[in-house]
Amino acid sequence: MEYLGGKISIDVNDKVFLKDPRSSKLGNKIIEGAIDLIDEIGFEEFTFRKLASSINSTEASVYRYFENKHNLLVYLTLWYWGWLEYRLVFRLVNVEDPYERLDRAIKTLTEPIKQDSDFTQIDEVKLNRIVISESSKIYLHKLVELDNSHGFFKPYKDLVQRVCDIILEINPGYKYPHMLISTCIEGAHHQRFFAEHLPRLTDILPDEDAVTTFYLDLIKKAIQK
Amino acid sequence: MEYLGGKISIDVNDKVFLKDPRSSKLGNKIIEGAIDLIDEIGFEEFTFRKLASSINSTEASVYRYFENKHNLLVYLTLWYWGWLEYRLVFRLVNVEDPYERLDRAIKTLTEPIKQDSDFTQIDEVKLNRIVISESSKIYLHKLVELDNSHGFFKPYKDLVQRVCDIILEINPGYKYPHMLISTCIEGAHHQRFFAEHLPRLTDILPDEDAVTTFYLDLIKKAIQK
DNA sequence: TATTTTTAATAGTAACACTATTATATTTGT
DNA sequence: ACAAATATAATAGTGTTACTATTAAAAATA
């Protein structure tokens, strides 16, 4: 899929970095290198020293861009939510029927990710694996309310709200649209993680994207009047 | 709730510890102290040095019981799943109607936790907060398959399977019982975390346990034929 | 009571998170 | 074009953490 051929970029909340990594060659290498390295060794094993060595730079230089590795992970996650909202908007534009809109929205949120040629510097497939395995660590910690006060969760809320609006168009009386959509987004991540690492915890069916089918069915039944 | 007045205990997979913490005074203090300290400062800030100092022991002594803090968190989580399965079995025994059984099972998995006087050494309310905030970190890491090979996820699978069996009794044709139940367990944790720390991400309604109501409704609609 | 055996404390090491300072490159003004 | 100002990155550290080898003390057994 390509809409604009590299002519746009996803803006990320500037409180998350010390210096914008998009503003220099080294900054871009930090983002690309971080995606490769976190995907490879996981967030716990990932350190700025290892990242610096993998891109032939130094630890102190990485610290000029990000206060710590937590904020770097927040950056990657915010970019991802921004990118996903951009994709969602494109897949819904000019589609009027709310049922068709909901179907497209759920698929956008739950289907496996393919490379997006509009953003050649970012490997969305690796980034999706990172979001699945690591992104919940950005809010499952004691400073979540501080991060929230900086607006780090706004892109996620915006994304959820867009789908809520469709649900409320279909059934204005449905009481739990936010719970339903965040359950669906987080749940789809969990199920894909389970399917890969703990298959006995899910229901794998060959030749079918069971995750998307399951959440499509779940949401449609949930919002029935 | 009290069934047996301290005459039973929850067995935890012995591969998770080096020396059984239930076998000595220091071991019990490690578990109690760990629950207090992780609940207070979070798992990232938690170290064996801080734990040792909080119970007037030494770092090296804690290491005689657990290889690392990851395995201590696994221990706490396994105890919790074991305890929850024990509670589930008691709440389902002698109840025949599968709809009533399902209702009780979902409530057991999603309702807020109260202190259990059968296990006076463990503060289940604090432990529940730890499971909500920290337990997903035990599988969201690169060594999850090793832990799985040691059987660390068996208590979780057993718990899920018990509820799956009820669902299949009600609707034998339902294709995704494992996804539905794990979505519900993990989702309820997420929603309670959101409700406390990121309320804008959920649907808070005063004077109602919206989390349990939501998942009861979701599951009943999902398995309808 | 002497001898094992169990248990816990001391004292380390390597790696990690993070920073103060210095050196180098780039930009800007004249 | 060249010097001054500014931006950028590297060097060399500090305190802390995760983890271990060794020694000391206590308890159990012969």
Side-chain angles (χ1 to χ4, degrees):
Chain A
M1 172 176 51
E2 176 170 347
Y3 297 119
L4 291 161
K7 293 199 181 77
I8 54 159
S9 63
I10 306 291
D11 285 335
V12 171
N13 187 326
D14 58 13
K15 288 194 190 74
V16 84
F17 48 72
L18 297 170
K19 175 181 160 67
D20 189 347
R22 296 279 131 192
S23 71
S24 75
K25 213 172 155 183
L26 178 64
N28 280 290
K29 275 170 67 187
I30 287 171
I31 298 304
E32 281 179 65
I35 291 172
D36 288 345
L37 195 55
I38 295 174
D39 183 45
E40 191 189 331
I41 65 176
F43 189 63
E44 281 72 31
E45 282 295 307
F46 171 83
T47 70
F48 278 2
R49 191 164 294 177
K50 288 176 189 169
L51 170 60
S53 120
S54 80
I55 59 173
N56 292 312
S57 182
T58 64
E59 198 183 6
S61 302
V62 179
Y63 273 100
R64 292 198 64 261
Y65 289 81
F66 292 98
E67 233 178 296
N68 47 51
K69 70 175 185 173
H70 171 84
N71 279 25
L72 174 47
L73 182 61
V74 173
Y75 180 95
L76 297 180
T77 307
L78 292 189
W79 192 95
Y80 183 85
W81 295 129
W83 174 71
L84 214 56
E85 189 183 8
Y86 152 86
R87 273 170 51 103
L88 182 67
V89 169
F90 263 91
R91 284 183 73 172
L92 296 185
V93 76
N94 300 327
V95 179
E96 298 297 330
D97 177 43
Y99 294 92
E100 173 65 18
R101 287 169 66 80
L102 181 63
D103 194 82
R104 285 173 177 239
I106 299 168
K107 283 178 178 165
T108 304
L109 297 180
T110 64
E111 277 178 351
I113 296 296
K114 285 173 198 142
Q115 193 63 38
D116 184 340
S117 50
D118 274 344
F119 305 95
T120 48
Q121 285 146 331
I122 303 282
D123 186 327
E124 288 85 7
V125 176
K126 284 181 185 171
L127 184 54
N128 174 247
R129 273 200 298 266
I130 291 172
V131 168
I132 287 174
S133 302
E134 320 289 357
S135 73
S136 59
K137 295 167 191 170
I138 73 173
Y139 56 80
L140 293 176
H141 72 88
K142 288 283 172 183
L143 297 175
V144 58
E145 274 142 80
L146 182 68
D147 279 4
N148 188 38
S149 74
H150 289 145
F152 291 174
F153 300 105
K154 188 169 181 301
Y156 184 80
K157 291 178 199 171
D158 290 348
L159 186 67
V160 169
Q161 192 56 52
R162 279 188 191 274
V163 190
C164 284
D165 293 343
I166 306 172
I167 286 173
L168 293 173
E169 199 183 335
I170 293 172
N171 179 356
Y174 185 67
K175 282 166 80 181
Y176 312 109
H178 296 89
M179 283 205 210
L180 184 63
I181 297 308
S182 62
T183 292
C184 160
I185 294 174
E186 304 295 327
H189 288 167
H190 265 99
Q191 295 306 326
R192 296 217 177 273
F193 186 90
F194 287 166
E196 196 173 335
H197 302 285
L198 302 165
R200 293 279 170 78
L201 283 180
T202 86
D203 311 87
I204 307 270
L205 296 165
D207 307 320
E208 177 197 65
D209 182 2
V211 175
T212 299
T213 311
F214 167 70
Y215 285 105
L216 275 171
D217 176 71
L218 189 72
I219 291 175
K220 284 174 183 168
K221 284 176 177 165
I223 64 172
Q224 266 166 22
K225 280 172 241 188
Chain B
M1 168 177 52
E2 177 170 345
Y3 298 118
L4 292 161
K7 293 198 180 78
I8 55 158
S9 63
I10 306 291
D11 284 335
V12 172
N13 186 326
D14 58 13
K15 289 194 189 76
V16 83
F17 48 71
L18 297 170
K19 174 181 160 69
D20 189 348
R22 296 279 130 192
S23 71
S24 76
K25 212 172 157 183
L26 178 64
N28 280 290
K29 275 170 69 187
I30 287 172
I31 298 304
E32 280 180 66
I35 291 173
D36 288 344
L37 194 55
I38 295 174
D39 183 46
E40 191 190 332
I41 65 177
F43 189 63
E44 280 72 31
E45 283 296 305
F46 172 83
T47 68
F48 278 3
R49 190 163 296 175
K50 289 176 187 169
L51 170 61
S53 121
S54 81
I55 59 173
N56 293 312
S57 181
T58 63
E59 197 184 5
S61 302
V62 179
Y63 273 101
R64 292 199 64 261
Y65 288 81
F66 292 99
E67 230 178 298
N68 47 50
K69 69 175 185 173
H70 171 85
N71 278 26
L72 173 47
L73 182 61
V74 173
Y75 181 94
L76 296 180
T77 307
L78 291 190
W79 191 94
Y80 183 85
W81 295 130
W83 174 72
L84 214 57
E85 190 183 7
Y86 152 86
R87 274 170 50 103
L88 181 67
V89 169
F90 264 90
R91 285 183 71 173
L92 296 185
V93 77
N94 301 326
V95 179
E96 299 296 331
D97 177 42
Y99 293 93
E100 173 65 18
R101 288 170 65 81
L102 181 62
D103 195 83
R104 285 172 177 239
I106 299 167
K107 283 178 178 164
T108 304
L109 296 180
T110 65
E111 276 178 352
I113 296 296
K114 285 172 198 141
Q115 194 62 38
D116 185 339
S117 51
D118 275 343
F119 305 94
T120 49
Q121 286 146 330
I122 302 281
D123 186 327
E124 287 87 5
V125 175
K126 284 181 184 170
L127 184 54
N128 174 247
R129 273 200 298 267
I130 292 173
V131 168
I132 287 174
S133 301
E134 319 290 356
S135 73
S136 60
K137 295 167 191 170
I138 73 172
Y139 57 80
L140 292 177
H141 73 88
K142 288 283 172 182
L143 296 177
V144 57
E145 275 143 77
L146 183 67
D147 280 5
N148 189 37
S149 75
H150 290 145
F152 291 175
F153 301 104
K154 189 171 179 299
Y156 185 79
K157 292 178 200 171
D158 290 348
L159 187 66
V160 169
Q161 192 56 51
R162 279 188 191 274
V163 190
C164 283
D165 292 343
I166 305 173
I167 286 174
L168 293 173
E169 197 182 337
I170 293 172
N171 179 356
Y174 186 66
K175 281 166 80 180
Y176 312 109
H178 296 89
M179 284 205 210
L180 184 62
I181 297 310
S182 62
T183 292
C184 160
I185 294 175
E186 304 295 327
H189 288 166
H190 266 99
Q191 295 306 326
R192 298 218 176 270
F193 186 90
F194 287 166
E196 196 174 335
H197 303 285
L198 303 166
R200 292 281 169 79
L201 283 180
T202 85
D203 310 88
I204 307 272
L205 295 165
D207 308 320
E208 177 196 64
D209 182 2
V211 175
T212 299
T213 312
F214 167 69
Y215 285 104
L216 275 170
D217 177 70
L218 190 72
I219 291 174
K220 283 174 183 168
K221 284 176 177 165
I223 64 172
Q224 266 166 22
K225 282 173 239 187

